[in-house]
Amino acid sequence: MLNSTVRQELDRLYADDKRQRDAGLPAEERTRNLTVASGEFLALLAFTMNARAVLEIGSSNGVSTIWFASAMRRTGGFVTGTEVLSNRAAEANGNLAEAGLADFGQVLPGDAALTIKGLAGPFDLIFIDAEKEDYVDHFRRVFPMVRVGGLIVADNVLSHDISDYQQLVREDPDCETAT
């Protein structure tokens, strides 16, 4: 699914992420990219469901956005990311351009709670990967924006305590969920 330009950009970004971790930077100062396996899974998921509209809450420097955009290039779709840190959003958009994927994705700067108000759904796939204490609020905002039969995927459900989020989704009669 990835051409050499995309692979090269992802390799560079993952190497930078490793340097940040090896330097012991605190989590709030790192780019906090998802793993290669998670990126591959998300791209495959978006591609196989023929997603045309993807929303990402928490893009950081755009690694996950690049994975989604690589799938969007194949489906003719578009991923819209959100990133609270404006410098990171600018970096993410630059990274999308370096990967040759600027026509298939964009990261909007600002608080997702405000940013998504200006977006029109429905979205085929919504990915939540932001501050864990905000997952419940993000879910409540984006659930009306996902198409019937669409997916909301939340990252870090095993590595972090997001039990409030999991309980909310499990108790919602309009949701089917799996961990």
Side-chain angles (χ1 to χ4, degrees):
M1 187 173 305
L2 305 179
N3 65 29
S4 62
T5 304
V6 174
R7 280 189 194 282
Q8 220 172 358
E9 185 63 10
L10 284 172
D11 287 347
R12 182 185 72 78
L13 294 169
Y14 279 115
D16 188 48
D17 183 71
K18 183 179 182 331
R19 279 191 295 280
Q20 292 173 28
R21 290 172 190 273
D22 290 349
L25 287 177
E28 61 275 1
E29 293 178 28
R30 288 188 285 106
T31 51
R32 297 191 278 178
N33 299 140
L34 52 76
T35 65
V36 171
S38 294
E40 289 173 341
F41 172 74
L42 291 172
L44 183 62
L45 184 65
F47 173 68
T48 58
M49 69 181 290
N50 199 34
R52 301 283 172 87
V54 174
L55 175 61
E56 176 184 44
I57 307 295
S59 299
S60 185
N61 64 337
V63 167
S64 49
T65 318
I66 289 171
W67 283 106
F68 279 123
S70 68
M72 297 300 93
R73 176 174 32 205
R74 295 180 71 189
T75 66
F78 195 84
V79 55
T80 302
T82 65
E83 175 53 44
V84 69
L85 301 173
S86 59
N87 61 324
R88 286 266 169 83
E91 182 183 355
N93 287 319
N95 293 335
L96 276 165
E98 285 296 317
L101 295 169
D103 290 340
F104 302 98
Q106 178 184 18
V107 177
L108 304 174
D111 184 337
L114 302 173
T115 306
I116 66 170
K117 286 183 180 180
L119 301 178
F123 290 94
D124 301 303
L125 174 60
I126 299 174
F127 180 54
I128 302 173
D129 187 17
E131 298 304 320
K132 308 316 167 224
E133 62 272 9
D134 297 333
Y135 273 35
V136 167
D137 290 335
H138 286 314
F139 178 83
R140 287 184 173 136
R141 284 184 202 99
V142 301
F143 186 69
M145 300 173 79
V146 69
R147 71 167 166 82
V148 173
L151 296 173
I152 297 175
V153 177
D155 200 22
N156 304 117
V157 297
L158 297 176
S159 61
H160 293 71
D161 178 13
I162 57 169
S163 52
D164 290 347
Y165 170 81
Q166 291 173 311
Q167 181 178 351
L168 172 73
V169 175
R170 286 182 184 125
E171 291 176 355
D172 190 316
D174 294 323
C175 293
E176 295 292 330
T177 186
T179 299

